[in-house]
Every structure is written in structure tokens, then in C-alpha cells.
Amino acid sequence: MTTTAKLYDAFWTSFMTSELLPSELLGHPKGFVHRGAGKPTPYLDFSKRYPFGFRPTAVISARDDHLRAQLSCERAGRDIAEKLGQLRPSRGASCDPYLHYFSSASNGKVELVWQGASVRDPNMWPYHHTWLIRSMELIVTLIVPALRELESNEL
């Protein structure tokens, strides 16, 4: 197992013990995404599902030294992520300038990013865990009402 894979495994193992979990808005940590033999696992999905397949996802990047709190979806919802970016349901919220709306051929997401997070420092991990959980909850609180409205308009 690579050094990065060991770091991610230790980070997520520690993350799963957070007293903030499970969260009513996120559900339980569901499991690692893109798990491969000895490969680093930067993503952790949660069990809660929202309209168009959106789900809370936590991301760590040792290479870029950042954390990402996301509400993400697969292909089925990627056009919805683009619509959310146009609607900006977070407008007026203090975090709005920091929310990124992203849509690609394979997925869509709304995310907050903590750049320069010192992810290799285990002493920072409790702060990282709290930030990831609270940031995902904030995104869910701001974005899910708009998802539900878009869903009801499509019915």
C-alpha cells in the first residue's frame, strides 16, 4: 500500500469515529468510492440520497493539500448541477462566494473547498472532520430545497 493510501485509510478510519456522525442530513458514511487494491481512496460517500441522485461526499487530496465537502451526483443529475449553478440557491448566504457548482460529462456537484488544509497533519484531523461534516450539512441545507423544487417541476 502506498504512503498516500495509508494516509487516506488512517484519515477515514479516524473520520468514522467522529461524534458528529451519523448526521440526520448526511446519513451514515456509506463506504469508500473507487476502492482498488492498494490505491488511495480520496472519496467517502454517505447513505443519504436526495433528488436526482445527489448525495453528500467528503474528499481528501494529499497531493493538492485540500478537502472538499460535496453534494454530488452521477451522470443522471449532471445537467441539474448546471441548472443549480444558474439558479444559485445559495445566493445571499455567507458561503455563496466559496461554493463551486460543477458539471462535467461524468458527474455534477456543488462543493466547498478548504485549500492548504494540512491534510498530512493528524493533529488537524479532528478539525478537518468537523469542517467536512458541517460543510456538507450546510450545502445540503442550502441546495436540497432547490433540488426538490426542480424535481417537482419535472413531474
Side-chain angles (χ1 to χ4, degrees), residues 77-128:
R78 69 178 182 256
D79 294 337
I80 300 301
E82 190 173 319
K83 284 182 186 177
L84 287 170
Q86 294 165 0
L87 292 172
R88 283 217 81 91
S90 57
R91 189 172 283 124
S94 60
C95 67
D96 182 62
Y98 309 102
L99 270 176
H100 303 276
Y101 295 82
F102 175 82
S103 181
S104 73
S106 62
N107 65 18
K109 59 191 164 195
V110 180
E111 66 181 9
L112 284 170
V113 180
W114 179 353
Q115 300 283 355
S118 301
V119 298
R120 293 185 184 276
D121 181 356
N123 295 318
M124 287 291 293
W125 290 358
Y127 302 103
H128 294 150

Side-chain angles (χ1 to χ4, degrees), residues 119-151:
V119 298
R120 293 185 184 276
D121 181 356
N123 295 318
M124 287 291 293
W125 290 358
Y127 302 103
H128 294 150
H129 301 158
T130 300
W131 183 87
L132 283 165
I133 293 164
R134 294 300 188 218
S135 295
M136 286 184 290
E137 290 174 335
L138 175 63
I139 293 169
V140 166
T141 301
L142 291 172
I143 302 302
V144 168
L147 287 174
R148 290 187 174 132
E149 186 174 326
L150 287 169
E151 182 181 50

Side-chain angles (χ1 to χ4, degrees), residues 15-36:
F15 180 87
M16 301 254 213
T17 65
S18 172
E19 60 190 40
L20 299 175
L21 295 174
S23 162
E24 186 176 317
L25 295 172
L26 309 177
H28 295 275
K30 181 179 163 196
F32 300 115
V33 181
H34 311 299
R35 184 89 183 172

